[in-house]
Amino acid sequence: MGRAIINNQDCDFAPRETILDASRRLGIEIPGLCYDERLKPFGGCRLCIVEVEGTNRLDAACTTLLEDGMIIHTHSGQVESQRRGLLRILAHSCAEPDTPQWELPFYRYLRTYGLEDELNPDHDPRLLDDSHPYIRVDMSQCIHCNRCVAICDQVQGQHVWKVWFRGHATRVRPDSGDSLLASSCVSCGACADTCPSGAISDRTLYTSPPSSGAVWTKTTCPYCGVGCQLNAGVANGRIAQIRPVLDDPVSNGHLCVKGRYAFDFVTSPDRITSPMIREDGQWRSVSWDEAIDYAASRLKASIEKNGPDSVGILGSARATNEDNYITQKFARVVVGTNNVDCCARVCHTPSAAALKSMLGTGAATNSFNDIEKTSTILVCGANSTENHPIVGARIKQAALRGCKLIVIDPRRIELADYASVHLQLKPGTNVPLLNAMAQTIISENIFDAEFLRHRVTSFDELKHFLGTYTPEAASEICGVDADLIRKAARLYASNGPAMMVHGLGVTEHIQGVEGVMCLTNLALLTGNLGKPGTGVNPLRGQNNVQGAAQMGCDPGILTGSVSIGDAFSRFSKVWLAPLPRKAGLNLMQMMDRAIEGKLKALWAIGYDIALTNPHRDETVRALRSLDLLIVQDMFLNETAKELGTVFFPVACGFERDGTFMNGERRIQRIRRIVDAPGQVRQDWEVIARMAEVLGHGHQFNYRSPSNIWDEIRTVWPDAAGINYARLENQGLQWPCVNETDPGTEILHRDVFASGQKAALRSVTYRRTTESSNDEFPFVLITGRVLEQFNAGTMTLRTPNTILHPFDYLDISPEDAAELGIRDRSRVRVVSRHGAATLPARVCKSMRRGELFASFHMPDARLNNVTGSGRDRFVDTPEYKVTAVRVEQTDRDP
Ligand SMILES: Nc1nc2c(c(=O)[nH]1)N[C@H]1C(S)=C(S)[C@@H](COP(=O)(O)OP(=O)(O)OC[C@H]3O[C@@H](n4cnc5c(=O)[nH]c(N)nc54)[C@H](O)[C@@H]3O)O[C@H]1N2
Ligand SMILES: Nc1nc2c(c(=O)[nH]1)N[C@H]1C(S)=C(S)[C@@H](COP(=O)(O)OP(=O)(O)OC[C@H]3O[C@@H](n4cnc5c(=O)[nH]c(N)nc54)[C@H](O)[C@@H]3O)O[C@H]1N2
Ligand SMILES: [Mo]
């Protein structure tokens, strides 16, 4: 602590506080053009100069640290006249009054210093780049503050913006040397967000200027499980612009191309705005009363004729906790079945099951903030720079600062470029690879003996089991050099704290659960649990998939992840009904029973199974066998299009209130910022109304989402301390057991949720049956890309489609040459299960014999090709390995 005087005010300051930070704290605004709290201050623009008594210099407030006894003047005559001089030099930039950028800091300062008339009225049209669908570049307005360069380097880590030439000719340009669209830009918009002069700005500022009194509201991104906070500006009833929230602990003031820009789906002309019933093969718009009466009576008929277990319900990982809570309550109380599930089944249920069985809680052990606290990050089967871009950017920055990275992925994903070790294993061989890492840690005595003594059991069993699992033996199966496996094991065990993040490259295999168990073994052996910068952290998929499952959209568990047997009486009391005891069907079993004619009715809420389930032939066969298929969505998705019987149109995440739960157990508010179109209703309202019509109004008598949340708190003790008032400014991570509990960043600190000690698991490797042969010589990996999201219903209705128009088949240059496949020519991928046609992309990130494709687009229908392999414990499909061949077609896309 020290004391200084700023503009005659006393100022106590902490060590290493800058003059700028302290002044802001005192409410003194010092102009600055190169300062952004997300960046390292670099004192480039010199506009924040201040006078320090007793020195002859003027110092930049953003880079000068306070010293005891300093007397500072931030707006003295000398300072102000120098500032005016500096601004006058910069006023060569051009902008016209009352244009959208007129409110940006640079023009505000010009007005403050009476310099607006100095602006140059001439645009240089050669400096305008209008190529990008979201970001407009007009370097006539550039004032060379270099914030775009800095934020692209220091926050996104993409290094797109470069300073070209010197002196008078200095220009800031993208790395393409040409247009932004042609550059390596990932469209995160950070440059547009930080630019103080409008040289780089959001295009929406010009197409739908929010200047006419936009209202800004904080909400949560509707895309992935990272759960970034958004600041949404609404003007004339439409979203005009979305900006990051600077003090958001999840995003640290950053967003990706989806969160920031992909919101046009909200006003898409093909939103379904009235309920519909299919008659003679055609959809007919009907009133809500008619649609609900019809669906309810058909559901009732099915229950009466075939029993409650002839009905299945799928909750939505895109909808709120409140929606999902009443979805599973509806299944159990109104229908009387445990046949309720959600898409966590095809995604991270293996992570939840493995973590729950080994550690006692089926969720990420640590938080995204641990990325900045760790020394080593192991990234296994997760392509985070595309699929969890804010986490990916944080990992890249950590690596640039010296954190070690181990990447386990068959493809050379972007993070592999930053890795100390990249283990490029054959798809489907995580178990032998991770076992060999454990074997190395044990045989080289680099485990954490102290941690093992106090917190771990079954060490001797594992040691015995792994006796022959040497890196050499594993290498034969997974194709990774034995020494590289050792190197990775040593790094993870010795350069702690070490943290893991993993993705579908672990879970979507026949050994999904066991893959996660092998990862957890490594964390237990090395004591990397219960501490900052450690843990086993599944990067959860959608905005609320963690929540949907945690709310009980799972046949085996109730809200709060308790088994039905354990919580029967607690729930019956609140729900005023007994619970069904018979084990329920999961999503994959529902498909099987439908084909057998035993499941007759399905209600799919926000889930496009026809497009996204594997082995499409089988999925379609199952859905065709149903008597009743209710689809509840914003759009006529593929499931509804061909196969739906009733359609309930509902609001999207920007049109309603409620909460989402992100991948680090953080519960955050979403807010209604625009009105839903036409007769569209909220998910929870539709479910509650169905319950009422079926005679259960008294149990579904809710007035609002917060009403539902308050019931959730009463049945789920770990959320008892979370109420809407506490969520007003920021989210809370469960467990949070009372209203003074700050929530939990790190699980299992002193004991595991399951008890004092956790047991290591000995996992035997099982080979996939999707092996290649002469007929099917390639292994196809399926997954996703940055610009598109899952079933594509949202991103395909935005300009993201300009940025990424197709599902491509990525193939190595060697294989492409051998098969005579040209880049972007159309090819057919054929498996034992079906075929799909899509354009090929020749990629250096692919190895010989392996292919990659995304599954976002209805016209490619990649899931024609995927098969019926499943995890043997939880039935998660084996999306990550399919044996295929590639055939040329004549057509170009
Ligand atoms: N842009 C975008 N973001 C998304 C989504 C989206 O569709 N688009 N979807 C969201 C959803 S629902 C989810 S679940 C997450 C998924 O996010 P991720 O888990 O990152 O998903 P994937 O791209 O399917 O697969 C990850 C990686 O696994 C690798 N892999 C394949 N087989 C193996 C293997 O045997 N071992 C190992 N170690 N790796 C393997 C693949 O090469 C791939 O790079 O993303 C979420 N975020
Ligand atoms: N080949 C292959 N297939 C895969 C995968 C893979 O890696 N490879 N990954 C799998 C994974 S991990 C997942 S999670 C699934 C995802 O598959 P889905 O869950 O089907 O995909 P989403 O696009 O996330 O959303 C489903 C639907 O929710 C709707 N929706 C959005 N918001 C709301 C809302 O607020 N309310 C309601 N009622 N509806 C809403 C959307 O319009 C969309 O129709 O795909 C799986 N399929
Ligand atoms: Mo997912």
Side-chain angles (χ1 to χ4, degrees), residues 809 819-822 824-830 835-840 885-893:
L809 183 78
L819 295 175
I821 290 171
R822 279 173 299 117
R824 319 282 150 153
S825 65
R826 277 188 98 80
V827 293
R828 230 165 83 87
V829 221
V830 186
T837 304
L838 62 179
R885 67 170 177 267
V886 185
E887 297 169 356
Q888 294 203 51
T889 71
D890 309 319
R891 287 173 303 134
D892 280 336

Side-chain angles (χ1 to χ4, degrees), residues 152 158-162 164 172-180 182-185:
C152 195
Q158 205 65 21
H159 317 291
V160 172
W161 293 108
K162 307 259 186 254
W164 298 64
V172 176
R173 277 207 211 157
D175 58 7
S176 60
D178 186 18
S179 74
L180 185 59
S183 75
S184 65
C185 173

Side-chain angles (χ1 to χ4, degrees), residues 318 542 608 612 633 656 683 782 790-791 793 863 879-880:
R318 314 304 302 278
Q542 294 121 315
D608 195 1
T612 59
D633 209 288
R656 53 161 175 208
D683 281 298
T782 65
N790 287 356
T793 54
N863 278 316
Y879 287 114
K880 291 290 178 265

Side-chain angles (χ1 to χ4, degrees), residues 613-617 831 833-837 860-867:
N613 249 29
H615 202 176
R616 188 183 144 90
D617 265 3
S831 74
H833 321 283
T837 304
R861 284 191 179 157
L862 184 73
N863 278 316
N864 283 343
V865 175
T866 49

Side-chain angles (χ1 to χ4, degrees), residues 343-344 346-348 504 508 540-542 545 784 790:
C343 69
V346 302
C347 183
H348 270 292
L504 304 180
E508 287 179 343
R540 298 303 305 257
Q542 294 121 315
V545 64
R784 34 200 42 79
N790 287 356

Side-chain angles (χ1 to χ4, degrees), residues 223-225 258 343 347-348 379-384 386-389 408-411 413 425-430 502-506 508-509 539-542 545 781-791 852 855-856 880-881:
Y223 285 104
C224 85
K258 294 180 296 302
C343 69
C347 183
H348 270 292
V379 182
C380 190
N383 183 17
S384 59
E386 298 206 55
N387 304 331
H388 302 90
I408 309 182
D409 200 301
R411 297 185 302 151
I413 55 170
L425 78 177
K426 291 189 186 143
T429 62
N430 291 310
H502 73 267
L504 304 180
V506 183
E508 287 179 343
H509 288 290
L539 293 175
R540 298 303 305 257
Q542 294 121 315
V545 64
I781 305 169
T782 65
R784 34 200 42 79
V785 294
L786 171 69
E787 295 85 356
Q788 300 295 348
F789 196 85
N790 287 356
F852 177 84
F855 66 98
H856 304 297
K880 291 290 178 265
V881 269

Side-chain angles (χ1 to χ4, degrees), residues 618-817:
E618 290 285 287
T619 312
V620 170
R621 204 145 74 87
L623 298 178
R624 279 202 202 291
S625 313
L626 297 168
D627 292 341
L628 176 68
L629 174 57
I630 309 172
V631 176
Q632 180 163 323
D633 209 288
M634 289 114 61
F635 296 103
L636 208 55
N637 62 20
E638 295 303 293
T639 308
K641 222 181 254 169
E642 298 164 42
L643 305 152
T645 334
V646 182
F647 190 93
F648 292 151
V650 285
C652 76
F654 293 113
E655 296 162 344
R656 53 161 175 208
D657 290 299
T659 58
F660 291 159
M661 186 188 298
N662 81 350
E664 36 160 34
R665 297 170 278 105
R666 194 184 299 270
I667 293 173
Q668 311 191 97
R669 275 298 311 273
I670 67 161
R671 295 183 172 87
R672 179 185 200 135
I673 58 166
V674 287
D675 290 330
Q679 302 175 50
V680 161
R681 287 194 183 169
Q682 317 266 315
D683 281 298
W684 72 269
E685 287 175 332
V686 179
I687 302 159
R689 179 72 190 138
M690 282 283 283
E692 194 183 338
V693 169
L694 288 166
H696 290 263
H698 60 295
Q699 291 147 313
F700 286 79
N701 186 16
Y702 306 106
R703 292 177 310 281
S704 67
S706 76
N707 235 218
I708 303 174
W709 179 260
D710 285 335
E711 184 175 309
I712 296 171
R713 295 170 65 200
T714 63
V715 294
W716 179 24
D718 277 349
I722 301 175
N723 60 40
Y724 270 36
R726 290 190 76 192
L727 296 178
E728 196 49 37
N729 287 321
Q730 235 161 46
L732 283 165
Q733 290 170 282
W734 60 266
C736 175
V737 296
N738 61 51
E739 289 184 7
T740 57
D741 182 343
T744 309
E745 281 180 86
I746 301 175
L747 298 178
H748 318 300
R749 275 186 189 267
D750 304 310
V751 291
F752 293 102
S754 50
Q756 176 61 40
K757 292 189 175 184
L760 295 160
R761 295 295 171 90
S762 301
V763 178
T764 305
Y765 168 59
R766 284 156 209 269
R767 260 177 79 106
T768 170
T769 54
E770 281 293 331
S771 47
S772 3
N773 57 21
D774 287 350
E775 198 186 349
F776 301 105
F778 287 94
V779 172
L780 171 71
I781 305 169
T782 65
R784 34 200 42 79
V785 294
L786 171 69
E787 295 85 356
Q788 300 295 348
F789 196 85
N790 287 356
T793 54
M794 289 151 75
T795 45
L796 285 173
R797 289 175 171 87
T798 72
N800 277 34
T801 297
I802 300 171
L803 297 169
H804 195 96
F806 301 106
D807 282 328
Y808 293 100
L809 183 78
D810 292 347
I811 182 167
S812 72
E814 298 82 5
D815 285 330

